[in-house]
Structure formats: C-alpha cells, structure tokens
Amino acid sequence: MGAIDTILWPIRWVIEALLVGFHSLFESWGLEGASGISWVLAITALVLVVRAALIPVFVRQIKSQRRMMEIAPQLKKIQDKYKGKKDQFSREALSRETMALYSKAGTNPFSSCLPLLLQMPIFFGLFRVLSEAGLGNAGVSYMTQDLAVAFANAELFGLAPLSATMNAAISGEAVLAEGGTTAVVLIAAVMVVLMSGSQFITQLQIMAKNQSEEMMASPMYRQQRILLYVLPLVFLFSGVFFPLGVMFYWLVSNFWTMGQQFLVIRNMPTPGSQAAKARDERIAKKREKLGLPPLGEAEEEDAPEQTKPAQRQQPVGKSRAKKKGQKPPKKPDDDDGLAGQAAKPKG
Amino acid sequence: MTTGVKAVGTWVLLAPRNALLGVLWAYRKVISPLYGQVCRYHPSCSLYAFRAIQYHGALRGTGLAAWRVLRCNPFSRGGIDDPPESHHTYFDITEHGFVRPRKED
C-alpha cells in the first residue's frame, strides 16, 4: 500500500486543493458549507476540471479526423480488399495496411490509451481522498481535520452521508440517522442505474453506429457485445462498496463521456461505419438545399484506376517479405494474432 | 532421460513468460474490448507486449512493452511498429500464443 500511496500523493494533493477550493467557492456563494450539496457540486466541478484538461487531446483528435476525410477513399479501397475475410492474417494485414496509410498521410484517428490511463490514478486518488475524509482524517494538503470532519458529516437530503457505502449502511457499520439506511441504498441504487444506463448508451453508440463493417464481423465485436451486458454488474458491485461521493464522480464523468462520444460520432464518424453514411447523407441533403453539386464527384473522376476487384499485391518491406515466405498455414479461427509468425520449427 | 530433464528445465525457464502471457491474454479478452481500438500503433500495445514477451521473455519483453506504452501517447506519430525480431530456437508457440519447449523430432 505504501508504494501506491506514494504514487498517489501528488494526485491527492491536487484533488484536495481543487475540492476544497471549489467547496469554499460555493460556500462564498451562499451554499451551506456543511451540506451534502456543496460537496456534491465540488465533486462535479472536479470532474469538469479533469475532463476539460483532456480537451486538448480531444481537439487533436478532431484535427486529425479532418485529414482522415481526405484519405477516406484510399481507406475504403483497403477495406474493400479485405471485405468478408475474417481469418487472422487478413485482419492483421487490414490493420497493418490501414495503419501504414495513416502513417503516410501523417494522421492518426486514435488518441492512445493515455487519456484513459490518466483517469485511473485520478479516480483512485479521489477514492483515497474521500475515504480518508469520510473517516474524519486530515488529508495531505488542503483537506484539514476540520474540513474532513465536516465532509464526513455532510449528508445528502439530510440523511445520506457522502462517505457512506451501501454495504456499510445495510450492515449497520455506518452510524446513520433515522431513515438513513433507506436513503443511502436508494441514492446508490439510482446512481447505479444511471451509471449503467449512460455507459450502456455510450458503448452502444460506438458499437452500433461507429464501427466499420469489417470490425462488426470480427470476434472483437462479439466480446464487446458480451461486455455490454457485463458492465452493469461491475457497476452494481461498485454501487455496493464505493462511497456515494466516489460514485458521483464516476457518474458525472460517464455523462461527460456520453456527450463527447455523441459529438464525435455525429461529426467525425469512423469511415465505413453507419454513422459515416448518416453524416454523408446529411451533408448531401444540405448541399442539395444550397443548390451545390454533390460532394465527391470531382474526386471520383481523377481517382487513379486502382479499384480492380482482384487482390493487388501490396508492397512489403524487406523483413516482412522475408517472413512471408516462411509463414506456416494457420487455423483460420485463431483470430487473435497471438500465435507468432515463426511458430513452427524450421527443421 | 536427459531430454526429459531438459524439457522440465525449459518449462521452468518459460514459466514466467507463460504467466505474463496469461495475464495479457485475459486483458485482451476482457478489458481491451471495453474501449475498442485506441492505440496509435500496429500492432496495438497489448499485442506488441504479447509478442515481445513471447520472443524476448518476461524481463526483456516487459521492458520493450513498457517502452512502447510510453511512446504511445496522443502526441506520438503512431504507425507500424513491430517488436524487434529474435532468433529463438528452443521453444515453440502454441496456437493460443503460449510458449512450450520445442519438440525435438
């Protein structure tokens, strides 16, 4: 635990500063400092700050998406070439050629896992801050003993402490006022439902609208679909063991993701996906209304004649060309690409 | 007899590798699909890690994978980036991607 706390220390420091800062700001606006609502708003503000800090990454994604539109025809060609091919090698080759195309065009539609990874220590840091404060212990920076005690006593609707978990309320571990148990259980249950709902919608939006047909035919898609139904169970678990305050952070963050996802899918869909078709139709309609010629006609004319249905031999690098000769035949349904390329003994 | 002992020794040698590969396999099955493709590289970081550990072992593979994850951020260029090639001779890779001592035949 010691090592983890050391890593989380700077994060906790910042989170406490932000949380206490917002709390006193809301207090200065006339909100009751000891009330649950002032802390809930402080947590909401914290989410907004964290997510807003990630906006530059988001903007970068938008910019690269513009260039994506330019290479959409080439991308389509690659996708057509591998249409209906579900074996491991075709899918790996599809992914490889797609990435080579992005690289050549100097663009990349993916934002890496860093934005996702960054949020995890923040979440754990917040978890530590709120659970310590819930016990009435002073934190590492601005969360003083007095404030921690105030937080520990802050209640939503005068009944449900933000530091309480459903588990503690039911087992009687948490000392609650009359009706407090019901309030904690109810609030946690509502948050679980909202959290599962927003996550479900976000995930469904991506899956149903923003994936190319190749992706939808892949085993990855099946796994995603299973997880779509498993995640609410994860939230149920968190709803029992996480303090209300932490769940609230997660909930607001989920809502932010849902909104951002909606914007991305609407305005910069993955080429070849249903959302991309919908966007093309919207643009076509708009241009018709304005009396402009349909988009893409001019480009079609001077597109090079590469659209032959036959599989064109892609140029390959020296090392890959060498490897290609040795590739042993693979079971077509091993689709993870995990079995290595030189798996079989040579002799 | 000696080949048997050798095989057991190789299994022990390969055990850390297989343990890590198991963790990565589970990660790729359960957690990766949650957020779809986000990686700026091909192969993705987890597949890179998988292959690096297959071919270079638990220590060097983990090092290679960690360096790759650090390189993969919103401000990197991305593109195609395979783990370095290796010339292994003493193990095979199973269809699920685990390693086992090479059968001598």
PDB file of all heavy atoms in Angstrom, chain A residues 196 199-201 203-204 207 219-235, chain B residues 26-36:
ATOM      1  N   SER A 196     -25.011   2.690 -15.205  1.00  0.00           N
ATOM      2  CA  SER A 196     -25.138   1.588 -16.154  1.00  0.00           C
ATOM      3  C   SER A 196     -25.786   2.093 -17.433  1.00  0.00           C
ATOM      4  O   SER A 196     -25.344   1.771 -18.531  1.00  0.00           O
ATOM      5  CB  SER A 196     -25.987   0.455 -15.584  1.00  0.00           C
ATOM      6  OG  SER A 196     -25.515   0.081 -14.322  1.00  0.00           O
ATOM      7  N   GLN A 199     -23.345   4.327 -19.481  1.00  0.00           N
ATOM      8  CA  GLN A 199     -22.271   3.502 -20.041  1.00  0.00           C
ATOM      9  C   GLN A 199     -22.813   2.655 -21.187  1.00  0.00           C
ATOM     10  O   GLN A 199     -22.208   2.555 -22.249  1.00  0.00           O
ATOM     11  CB  GLN A 199     -21.705   2.590 -18.950  1.00  0.00           C
ATOM     12  CG  GLN A 199     -20.604   1.670 -19.412  1.00  0.00           C
ATOM     13  CD  GLN A 199     -19.287   2.399 -19.537  1.00  0.00           C
ATOM     14  OE1 GLN A 199     -19.048   3.351 -18.806  1.00  0.00           O
ATOM     15  NE2 GLN A 199     -18.445   1.992 -20.452  1.00  0.00           N
ATOM     16  N   PHE A 200     -23.988   2.103 -20.983  1.00  0.00           N
ATOM     17  CA  PHE A 200     -24.635   1.256 -21.978  1.00  0.00           C
ATOM     18  C   PHE A 200     -24.879   2.056 -23.266  1.00  0.00           C
ATOM     19  O   PHE A 200     -24.561   1.609 -24.364  1.00  0.00           O
ATOM     20  CB  PHE A 200     -25.960   0.745 -21.406  1.00  0.00           C
ATOM     21  CG  PHE A 200     -26.607  -0.345 -22.207  1.00  0.00           C
ATOM     22  CD1 PHE A 200     -26.245  -1.664 -22.012  1.00  0.00           C
ATOM     23  CD2 PHE A 200     -27.588  -0.047 -23.136  1.00  0.00           C
ATOM     24  CE1 PHE A 200     -26.837  -2.675 -22.749  1.00  0.00           C
ATOM     25  CE2 PHE A 200     -28.185  -1.055 -23.874  1.00  0.00           C
ATOM     26  CZ  PHE A 200     -27.812  -2.368 -23.684  1.00  0.00           C
ATOM     27  N   ILE A 201     -25.399   3.264 -23.111  1.00  0.00           N
ATOM     28  CA  ILE A 201     -25.690   4.090 -24.283  1.00  0.00           C
ATOM     29  C   ILE A 201     -24.398   4.466 -25.012  1.00  0.00           C
ATOM     30  O   ILE A 201     -24.303   4.350 -26.235  1.00  0.00           O
ATOM     31  CB  ILE A 201     -26.472   5.359 -23.863  1.00  0.00           C
ATOM     32  CG1 ILE A 201     -27.877   4.962 -23.396  1.00  0.00           C
ATOM     33  CG2 ILE A 201     -26.558   6.346 -25.022  1.00  0.00           C
ATOM     34  CD1 ILE A 201     -28.634   6.079 -22.725  1.00  0.00           C
ATOM     35  N   GLN A 203     -21.534   2.917 -25.041  1.00  0.00           N
ATOM     36  CA  GLN A 203     -20.980   1.723 -25.665  1.00  0.00           C
ATOM     37  C   GLN A 203     -21.792   1.319 -26.888  1.00  0.00           C
ATOM     38  O   GLN A 203     -21.254   0.993 -27.928  1.00  0.00           O
ATOM     39  CB  GLN A 203     -21.001   0.599 -24.629  1.00  0.00           C
ATOM     40  CG  GLN A 203     -20.062  -0.527 -24.902  1.00  0.00           C
ATOM     41  CD  GLN A 203     -18.669  -0.208 -24.404  1.00  0.00           C
ATOM     42  OE1 GLN A 203     -18.457   0.807 -23.733  1.00  0.00           O
ATOM     43  NE2 GLN A 203     -17.717  -1.027 -24.765  1.00  0.00           N
ATOM     44  N   LEU A 204     -23.093   1.397 -26.755  1.00  0.00           N
ATOM     45  CA  LEU A 204     -23.980   1.001 -27.834  1.00  0.00           C
ATOM     46  C   LEU A 204     -23.829   1.939 -29.033  1.00  0.00           C
ATOM     47  O   LEU A 204     -23.843   1.502 -30.179  1.00  0.00           O
ATOM     48  CB  LEU A 204     -25.428   1.014 -27.333  1.00  0.00           C
ATOM     49  CG  LEU A 204     -26.434   0.194 -28.122  1.00  0.00           C
ATOM     50  CD1 LEU A 204     -26.133  -1.293 -27.979  1.00  0.00           C
ATOM     51  CD2 LEU A 204     -27.846   0.469 -27.649  1.00  0.00           C
ATOM     52  N   MET A 207     -20.727   0.929 -30.787  1.00  0.00           N
ATOM     53  CA  MET A 207     -20.817  -0.373 -31.423  1.00  0.00           C
ATOM     54  C   MET A 207     -21.787  -0.403 -32.589  1.00  0.00           C
ATOM     55  O   MET A 207     -21.512  -1.004 -33.614  1.00  0.00           O
ATOM     56  CB  MET A 207     -21.243  -1.410 -30.390  1.00  0.00           C
ATOM     57  CG  MET A 207     -20.131  -1.733 -29.443  1.00  0.00           C
ATOM     58  SD  MET A 207     -20.674  -2.897 -28.238  1.00  0.00           S
ATOM     59  CE  MET A 207     -21.391  -4.134 -29.276  1.00  0.00           C
ATOM     60  N   PRO A 219     -14.404 -11.064 -34.165  1.00  0.00           N
ATOM     61  CA  PRO A 219     -14.711 -11.634 -32.845  1.00  0.00           C
ATOM     62  C   PRO A 219     -14.645 -10.584 -31.740  1.00  0.00           C
ATOM     63  O   PRO A 219     -15.312 -10.707 -30.717  1.00  0.00           O
ATOM     64  CB  PRO A 219     -13.628 -12.682 -32.628  1.00  0.00           C
ATOM     65  CG  PRO A 219     -12.855 -12.770 -33.867  1.00  0.00           C
ATOM     66  CD  PRO A 219     -13.200 -11.655 -34.752  1.00  0.00           C
ATOM     67  N   MET A 220     -13.834  -9.535 -31.980  1.00  0.00           N
ATOM     68  CA  MET A 220     -13.724  -8.450 -31.009  1.00  0.00           C
ATOM     69  C   MET A 220     -15.111  -7.868 -30.739  1.00  0.00           C
ATOM     70  O   MET A 220     -15.450  -7.523 -29.617  1.00  0.00           O
ATOM     71  CB  MET A 220     -12.824  -7.371 -31.609  1.00  0.00           C
ATOM     72  CG  MET A 220     -12.574  -6.210 -30.712  1.00  0.00           C
ATOM     73  SD  MET A 220     -11.020  -6.404 -29.874  1.00  0.00           S
ATOM     74  CE  MET A 220     -10.691  -4.743 -29.368  1.00  0.00           C
ATOM     75  N   TYR A 221     -15.903  -7.803 -31.810  1.00  0.00           N
ATOM     76  CA  TYR A 221     -17.236  -7.226 -31.692  1.00  0.00           C
ATOM     77  C   TYR A 221     -18.118  -8.082 -30.790  1.00  0.00           C
ATOM     78  O   TYR A 221     -18.874  -7.570 -29.976  1.00  0.00           O
ATOM     79  CB  TYR A 221     -17.839  -7.119 -33.098  1.00  0.00           C
ATOM     80  CG  TYR A 221     -19.188  -6.452 -33.135  1.00  0.00           C
ATOM     81  CD1 TYR A 221     -19.298  -5.082 -32.958  1.00  0.00           C
ATOM     82  CD2 TYR A 221     -20.338  -7.201 -33.353  1.00  0.00           C
ATOM     83  CE1 TYR A 221     -20.532  -4.475 -32.994  1.00  0.00           C
ATOM     84  CE2 TYR A 221     -21.577  -6.598 -33.393  1.00  0.00           C
ATOM     85  CZ  TYR A 221     -21.667  -5.232 -33.216  1.00  0.00           C
ATOM     86  OH  TYR A 221     -22.888  -4.624 -33.243  1.00  0.00           O
ATOM     87  N   ARG A 222     -17.987  -9.399 -30.938  1.00  0.00           N
ATOM     88  CA  ARG A 222     -18.771 -10.293 -30.075  1.00  0.00           C
ATOM     89  C   ARG A 222     -18.412 -10.076 -28.618  1.00  0.00           C
ATOM     90  O   ARG A 222     -19.273 -10.023 -27.746  1.00  0.00           O
ATOM     91  CB  ARG A 222     -18.511 -11.762 -30.458  1.00  0.00           C
ATOM     92  CG  ARG A 222     -19.157 -12.168 -31.760  1.00  0.00           C
ATOM     93  CD  ARG A 222     -19.337 -13.676 -31.812  1.00  0.00           C
ATOM     94  NE  ARG A 222     -18.088 -14.401 -31.658  1.00  0.00           N
ATOM     95  CZ  ARG A 222     -17.287 -14.714 -32.671  1.00  0.00           C
ATOM     96  NH1 ARG A 222     -17.618 -14.366 -33.898  1.00  0.00           N
ATOM     97  NH2 ARG A 222     -16.165 -15.377 -32.471  1.00  0.00           N
ATOM     98  N   GLN A 223     -17.095  -9.928 -28.370  1.00  0.00           N
ATOM     99  CA  GLN A 223     -16.657  -9.701 -26.994  1.00  0.00           C
ATOM    100  C   GLN A 223     -17.225  -8.394 -26.449  1.00  0.00           C
ATOM    101  O   GLN A 223     -17.664  -8.317 -25.310  1.00  0.00           O
ATOM    102  CB  GLN A 223     -15.133  -9.644 -26.914  1.00  0.00           C
ATOM    103  CG  GLN A 223     -14.501 -11.011 -27.001  1.00  0.00           C
ATOM    104  CD  GLN A 223     -13.032 -10.926 -27.295  1.00  0.00           C
ATOM    105  OE1 GLN A 223     -12.375  -9.968 -26.929  1.00  0.00           O
ATOM    106  NE2 GLN A 223     -12.509 -11.925 -27.959  1.00  0.00           N
ATOM    107  N   GLN A 224     -17.207  -7.383 -27.304  1.00  0.00           N
ATOM    108  CA  GLN A 224     -17.754  -6.100 -26.879  1.00  0.00           C
ATOM    109  C   GLN A 224     -19.215  -6.241 -26.494  1.00  0.00           C
ATOM    110  O   GLN A 224     -19.680  -5.640 -25.541  1.00  0.00           O
ATOM    111  CB  GLN A 224     -17.634  -5.076 -28.007  1.00  0.00           C
ATOM    112  CG  GLN A 224     -16.263  -4.478 -28.132  1.00  0.00           C
ATOM    113  CD  GLN A 224     -16.199  -3.412 -29.188  1.00  0.00           C
ATOM    114  OE1 GLN A 224     -16.994  -3.398 -30.124  1.00  0.00           O
ATOM    115  NE2 GLN A 224     -15.263  -2.517 -29.054  1.00  0.00           N
ATOM    116  N   ARG A 225     -19.916  -7.065 -27.283  1.00  0.00           N
ATOM    117  CA  ARG A 225     -21.338  -7.215 -27.002  1.00  0.00           C
ATOM    118  C   ARG A 225     -21.596  -7.903 -25.678  1.00  0.00           C
ATOM    119  O   ARG A 225     -22.511  -7.545 -24.944  1.00  0.00           O
ATOM    120  CB  ARG A 225     -22.027  -7.968 -28.143  1.00  0.00           C
ATOM    121  CG  ARG A 225     -22.545  -6.999 -29.132  1.00  0.00           C
ATOM    122  CD  ARG A 225     -23.600  -7.480 -30.077  1.00  0.00           C
ATOM    123  NE  ARG A 225     -24.335  -8.676 -29.761  1.00  0.00           N
ATOM    124  CZ  ARG A 225     -24.860  -9.452 -30.695  1.00  0.00           C
ATOM    125  NH1 ARG A 225     -24.677  -9.167 -31.945  1.00  0.00           N
ATOM    126  NH2 ARG A 225     -25.558 -10.498 -30.366  1.00  0.00           N
ATOM    127  N   ILE A 226     -20.740  -8.874 -25.368  1.00  0.00           N
ATOM    128  CA  ILE A 226     -20.889  -9.553 -24.074  1.00  0.00           C
ATOM    129  C   ILE A 226     -20.660  -8.556 -22.954  1.00  0.00           C
ATOM    130  O   ILE A 226     -21.422  -8.476 -21.993  1.00  0.00           O
ATOM    131  CB  ILE A 226     -19.904 -10.737 -23.973  1.00  0.00           C
ATOM    132  CG1 ILE A 226     -20.232 -11.780 -25.036  1.00  0.00           C
ATOM    133  CG2 ILE A 226     -19.943 -11.353 -22.579  1.00  0.00           C
ATOM    134  CD1 ILE A 226     -19.164 -12.811 -25.252  1.00  0.00           C
ATOM    135  N   LEU A 227     -19.599  -7.749 -23.126  1.00  0.00           N
ATOM    136  CA  LEU A 227     -19.245  -6.802 -22.074  1.00  0.00           C
ATOM    137  C   LEU A 227     -20.322  -5.752 -21.850  1.00  0.00           C
ATOM    138  O   LEU A 227     -20.482  -5.233 -20.756  1.00  0.00           O
ATOM    139  CB  LEU A 227     -17.926  -6.121 -22.418  1.00  0.00           C
ATOM    140  CG  LEU A 227     -16.746  -7.026 -22.110  1.00  0.00           C
ATOM    141  CD1 LEU A 227     -15.505  -6.549 -22.819  1.00  0.00           C
ATOM    142  CD2 LEU A 227     -16.507  -7.081 -20.616  1.00  0.00           C
ATOM    143  N   LEU A 228     -21.036  -5.477 -22.919  1.00  0.00           N
ATOM    144  CA  LEU A 228     -22.124  -4.511 -22.823  1.00  0.00           C
ATOM    145  C   LEU A 228     -23.087  -4.905 -21.707  1.00  0.00           C
ATOM    146  O   LEU A 228     -23.649  -4.061 -21.021  1.00  0.00           O
ATOM    147  CB  LEU A 228     -22.842  -4.494 -24.169  1.00  0.00           C
ATOM    148  CG  LEU A 228     -23.805  -3.378 -24.493  1.00  0.00           C
ATOM    149  CD1 LEU A 228     -23.089  -2.055 -24.415  1.00  0.00           C
ATOM    150  CD2 LEU A 228     -24.358  -3.571 -25.890  1.00  0.00           C
ATOM    151  N   TYR A 229     -23.224  -6.212 -21.541  1.00  0.00           N
ATOM    152  CA  TYR A 229     -24.159  -6.684 -20.530  1.00  0.00           C
ATOM    153  C   TYR A 229     -23.482  -7.034 -19.209  1.00  0.00           C
ATOM    154  O   TYR A 229     -24.147  -7.197 -18.202  1.00  0.00           O
ATOM    155  CB  TYR A 229     -24.943  -7.887 -21.088  1.00  0.00           C
ATOM    156  CG  TYR A 229     -25.732  -7.492 -22.316  1.00  0.00           C
ATOM    157  CD1 TYR A 229     -25.244  -7.719 -23.585  1.00  0.00           C
ATOM    158  CD2 TYR A 229     -26.950  -6.810 -22.176  1.00  0.00           C
ATOM    159  CE1 TYR A 229     -25.940  -7.302 -24.712  1.00  0.00           C
ATOM    160  CE2 TYR A 229     -27.650  -6.397 -23.292  1.00  0.00           C
ATOM    161  CZ  TYR A 229     -27.144  -6.643 -24.550  1.00  0.00           C
ATOM    162  OH  TYR A 229     -27.833  -6.218 -25.646  1.00  0.00           O
ATOM    163  N   VAL A 230     -22.162  -7.163 -19.259  1.00  0.00           N
ATOM    164  CA  VAL A 230     -21.436  -7.496 -18.030  1.00  0.00           C
ATOM    165  C   VAL A 230     -21.186  -6.240 -17.195  1.00  0.00           C
ATOM    166  O   VAL A 230     -21.210  -6.279 -15.970  1.00  0.00           O
ATOM    167  CB  VAL A 230     -20.101  -8.204 -18.372  1.00  0.00           C
ATOM    168  CG1 VAL A 230     -19.243  -8.377 -17.135  1.00  0.00           C
ATOM    169  CG2 VAL A 230     -20.371  -9.552 -19.018  1.00  0.00           C
ATOM    170  N   LEU A 231     -20.978  -5.126 -17.899  1.00  0.00           N
ATOM    171  CA  LEU A 231     -20.619  -3.887 -17.194  1.00  0.00           C
ATOM    172  C   LEU A 231     -21.611  -3.457 -16.122  1.00  0.00           C
ATOM    173  O   LEU A 231     -21.188  -3.062 -15.037  1.00  0.00           O
ATOM    174  CB  LEU A 231     -20.429  -2.756 -18.194  1.00  0.00           C
ATOM    175  CG  LEU A 231     -18.998  -2.589 -18.659  1.00  0.00           C
ATOM    176  CD1 LEU A 231     -18.910  -1.429 -19.627  1.00  0.00           C
ATOM    177  CD2 LEU A 231     -18.060  -2.351 -17.493  1.00  0.00           C
ATOM    178  N   PRO A 232     -22.915  -3.525 -16.388  1.00  0.00           N
ATOM    179  CA  PRO A 232     -23.848  -3.162 -15.314  1.00  0.00           C
ATOM    180  C   PRO A 232     -23.599  -3.942 -14.028  1.00  0.00           C
ATOM    181  O   PRO A 232     -23.796  -3.407 -12.938  1.00  0.00           O
ATOM    182  CB  PRO A 232     -25.212  -3.500 -15.919  1.00  0.00           C
ATOM    183  CG  PRO A 232     -25.020  -3.310 -17.375  1.00  0.00           C
ATOM    184  CD  PRO A 232     -23.613  -3.756 -17.653  1.00  0.00           C
ATOM    185  N   LEU A 233     -23.114  -5.183 -14.150  1.00  0.00           N
ATOM    186  CA  LEU A 233     -22.796  -5.972 -12.962  1.00  0.00           C
ATOM    187  C   LEU A 233     -21.618  -5.358 -12.200  1.00  0.00           C
ATOM    188  O   LEU A 233     -21.602  -5.327 -10.975  1.00  0.00           O
ATOM    189  CB  LEU A 233     -22.475  -7.419 -13.342  1.00  0.00           C
ATOM    190  CG  LEU A 233     -23.610  -8.218 -13.968  1.00  0.00           C
ATOM    191  CD1 LEU A 233     -23.144  -9.616 -14.343  1.00  0.00           C
ATOM    192  CD2 LEU A 233     -24.789  -8.309 -12.994  1.00  0.00           C
ATOM    193  N   VAL A 234     -20.642  -4.860 -12.987  1.00  0.00           N
ATOM    194  CA  VAL A 234     -19.498  -4.193 -12.359  1.00  0.00           C
ATOM    195  C   VAL A 234     -19.978  -2.961 -11.590  1.00  0.00           C
ATOM    196  O   VAL A 234     -19.561  -2.699 -10.463  1.00  0.00           O
ATOM    197  CB  VAL A 234     -18.467  -3.779 -13.424  1.00  0.00           C
ATOM    198  CG1 VAL A 234     -17.310  -3.012 -12.791  1.00  0.00           C
ATOM    199  CG2 VAL A 234     -17.941  -5.009 -14.151  1.00  0.00           C
ATOM    200  N   PHE A 235     -20.873  -2.233 -12.210  1.00  0.00           N
ATOM    201  CA  PHE A 235     -21.400  -1.030 -11.551  1.00  0.00           C
ATOM    202  C   PHE A 235     -22.211  -1.399 -10.306  1.00  0.00           C
ATOM    203  O   PHE A 235     -22.181  -0.683  -9.315  1.00  0.00           O
ATOM    204  CB  PHE A 235     -22.270  -0.228 -12.506  1.00  0.00           C
ATOM    205  CG  PHE A 235     -21.463   0.426 -13.585  1.00  0.00           C
ATOM    206  CD1 PHE A 235     -21.893   0.405 -14.895  1.00  0.00           C
ATOM    207  CD2 PHE A 235     -20.279   1.066 -13.288  1.00  0.00           C
ATOM    208  CE1 PHE A 235     -21.148   1.014 -15.887  1.00  0.00           C
ATOM    209  CE2 PHE A 235     -19.529   1.668 -14.273  1.00  0.00           C
ATOM    210  CZ  PHE A 235     -19.971   1.637 -15.577  1.00  0.00           C
TER     211      PHE A 235
ATOM    212  N   ALA B  26      -5.825 -12.546 -20.849  1.00  0.00           N
ATOM    213  CA  ALA B  26      -7.062 -12.185 -20.157  1.00  0.00           C
ATOM    214  C   ALA B  26      -7.377 -10.709 -20.375  1.00  0.00           C
ATOM    215  O   ALA B  26      -8.521 -10.334 -20.632  1.00  0.00           O
ATOM    216  CB  ALA B  26      -6.934 -12.487 -18.667  1.00  0.00           C
ATOM    217  N   TYR B  27      -6.341  -9.882 -20.302  1.00  0.00           N
ATOM    218  CA  TYR B  27      -6.540  -8.439 -20.520  1.00  0.00           C
ATOM    219  C   TYR B  27      -7.133  -8.185 -21.905  1.00  0.00           C
ATOM    220  O   TYR B  27      -8.084  -7.431 -22.063  1.00  0.00           O
ATOM    221  CB  TYR B  27      -5.202  -7.711 -20.369  1.00  0.00           C
ATOM    222  CG  TYR B  27      -5.270  -6.273 -20.797  1.00  0.00           C
ATOM    223  CD1 TYR B  27      -5.724  -5.294 -19.931  1.00  0.00           C
ATOM    224  CD2 TYR B  27      -4.909  -5.896 -22.088  1.00  0.00           C
ATOM    225  CE1 TYR B  27      -5.817  -3.981 -20.317  1.00  0.00           C
ATOM    226  CE2 TYR B  27      -4.999  -4.583 -22.493  1.00  0.00           C
ATOM    227  CZ  TYR B  27      -5.450  -3.624 -21.610  1.00  0.00           C
ATOM    228  OH  TYR B  27      -5.544  -2.333 -22.016  1.00  0.00           O
ATOM    229  N   ARG B  28      -6.563  -8.863 -22.897  1.00  0.00           N
ATOM    230  CA  ARG B  28      -7.026  -8.632 -24.265  1.00  0.00           C
ATOM    231  C   ARG B  28      -8.438  -9.154 -24.481  1.00  0.00           C
ATOM    232  O   ARG B  28      -9.169  -8.646 -25.329  1.00  0.00           O
ATOM    233  CB  ARG B  28      -6.067  -9.286 -25.269  1.00  0.00           C
ATOM    234  CG  ARG B  28      -4.757  -8.515 -25.419  1.00  0.00           C
ATOM    235  CD  ARG B  28      -3.757  -9.261 -26.276  1.00  0.00           C
ATOM    236  NE  ARG B  28      -4.286  -9.593 -27.578  1.00  0.00           N
ATOM    237  CZ  ARG B  28      -4.354  -8.730 -28.591  1.00  0.00           C
ATOM    238  NH1 ARG B  28      -3.912  -7.514 -28.443  1.00  0.00           N
ATOM    239  NH2 ARG B  28      -4.857  -9.104 -29.744  1.00  0.00           N
ATOM    240  N   LYS B  29      -8.817 -10.184 -23.720  1.00  0.00           N
ATOM    241  CA  LYS B  29     -10.167 -10.743 -23.870  1.00  0.00           C
ATOM    242  C   LYS B  29     -11.205  -9.895 -23.131  1.00  0.00           C
ATOM    243  O   LYS B  29     -12.329  -9.730 -23.607  1.00  0.00           O
ATOM    244  CB  LYS B  29     -10.212 -12.171 -23.292  1.00  0.00           C
ATOM    245  CG  LYS B  29      -9.656 -13.224 -24.209  1.00  0.00           C
ATOM    246  CD  LYS B  29     -10.643 -13.606 -25.295  1.00  0.00           C
ATOM    247  CE  LYS B  29      -9.993 -14.630 -26.216  1.00  0.00           C
ATOM    248  NZ  LYS B  29     -10.471 -14.582 -27.574  1.00  0.00           N
ATOM    249  N   VAL B  30     -10.840  -9.422 -21.954  1.00  0.00           N
ATOM    250  CA  VAL B  30     -11.842  -8.829 -21.072  1.00  0.00           C
ATOM    251  C   VAL B  30     -11.810  -7.299 -21.075  1.00  0.00           C
ATOM    252  O   VAL B  30     -12.851  -6.653 -21.176  1.00  0.00           O
ATOM    253  CB  VAL B  30     -11.667  -9.344 -19.621  1.00  0.00           C
ATOM    254  CG1 VAL B  30     -12.699  -8.722 -18.707  1.00  0.00           C
ATOM    255  CG2 VAL B  30     -11.770 -10.854 -19.589  1.00  0.00           C
ATOM    256  N   ILE B  31     -10.607  -6.726 -20.986  1.00  0.00           N
ATOM    257  CA  ILE B  31     -10.551  -5.273 -20.785  1.00  0.00           C
ATOM    258  C   ILE B  31     -10.432  -4.508 -22.094  1.00  0.00           C
ATOM    259  O   ILE B  31     -11.130  -3.525 -22.309  1.00  0.00           O
ATOM    260  CB  ILE B  31      -9.405  -4.914 -19.813  1.00  0.00           C
ATOM    261  CG1 ILE B  31      -9.658  -5.632 -18.485  1.00  0.00           C
ATOM    262  CG2 ILE B  31      -9.330  -3.407 -19.599  1.00  0.00           C
ATOM    263  CD1 ILE B  31      -8.639  -5.419 -17.437  1.00  0.00           C
ATOM    264  N   SER B  32      -9.577  -4.994 -22.995  1.00  0.00           N
ATOM    265  CA  SER B  32      -9.392  -4.301 -24.277  1.00  0.00           C
ATOM    266  C   SER B  32     -10.702  -3.990 -25.011  1.00  0.00           C
ATOM    267  O   SER B  32     -10.880  -2.876 -25.481  1.00  0.00           O
ATOM    268  CB  SER B  32      -8.489  -5.119 -25.201  1.00  0.00           C
ATOM    269  OG  SER B  32      -7.145  -4.777 -25.000  1.00  0.00           O
ATOM    270  N   PRO B  33     -11.614  -4.969 -25.118  1.00  0.00           N
ATOM    271  CA  PRO B  33     -12.828  -4.692 -25.889  1.00  0.00           C
ATOM    272  C   PRO B  33     -13.679  -3.564 -25.304  1.00  0.00           C
ATOM    273  O   PRO B  33     -14.515  -3.003 -25.993  1.00  0.00           O
ATOM    274  CB  PRO B  33     -13.601  -6.015 -25.840  1.00  0.00           C
ATOM    275  CG  PRO B  33     -12.599  -7.039 -25.488  1.00  0.00           C
ATOM    276  CD  PRO B  33     -11.599  -6.351 -24.629  1.00  0.00           C
ATOM    277  N   LEU B  34     -13.437  -3.221 -24.037  1.00  0.00           N
ATOM    278  CA  LEU B  34     -14.242  -2.184 -23.387  1.00  0.00           C
ATOM    279  C   LEU B  34     -14.180  -0.862 -24.125  1.00  0.00           C
ATOM    280  O   LEU B  34     -15.159  -0.147 -24.213  1.00  0.00           O
ATOM    281  CB  LEU B  34     -13.747  -1.948 -21.961  1.00  0.00           C
ATOM    282  CG  LEU B  34     -14.205  -2.898 -20.891  1.00  0.00           C
ATOM    283  CD1 LEU B  34     -13.661  -2.450 -19.559  1.00  0.00           C
ATOM    284  CD2 LEU B  34     -15.716  -2.926 -20.837  1.00  0.00           C
ATOM    285  N   TYR B  35     -13.003  -0.522 -24.593  1.00  0.00           N
ATOM    286  CA  TYR B  35     -12.883   0.798 -25.214  1.00  0.00           C
ATOM    287  C   TYR B  35     -12.484   0.736 -26.680  1.00  0.00           C
ATOM    288  O   TYR B  35     -12.125   1.751 -27.263  1.00  0.00           O
ATOM    289  CB  TYR B  35     -11.939   1.708 -24.412  1.00  0.00           C
ATOM    290  CG  TYR B  35     -10.688   1.046 -23.928  1.00  0.00           C
ATOM    291  CD1 TYR B  35      -9.593   0.946 -24.771  1.00  0.00           C
ATOM    292  CD2 TYR B  35     -10.594   0.533 -22.646  1.00  0.00           C
ATOM    293  CE1 TYR B  35      -8.449   0.333 -24.345  1.00  0.00           C
ATOM    294  CE2 TYR B  35      -9.441  -0.083 -22.206  1.00  0.00           C
ATOM    295  CZ  TYR B  35      -8.372  -0.179 -23.067  1.00  0.00           C
ATOM    296  OH  TYR B  35      -7.251  -0.790 -22.634  1.00  0.00           O
ATOM    297  N   GLY B  36     -12.554  -0.481 -27.283  1.00  0.00           N
ATOM    298  CA  GLY B  36     -12.280  -0.586 -28.701  1.00  0.00           C
ATOM    299  C   GLY B  36     -10.844  -0.226 -29.029  1.00  0.00           C
ATOM    300  O   GLY B  36      -9.986  -0.266 -28.156  1.00  0.00           O
TER     301      GLY B  36
END
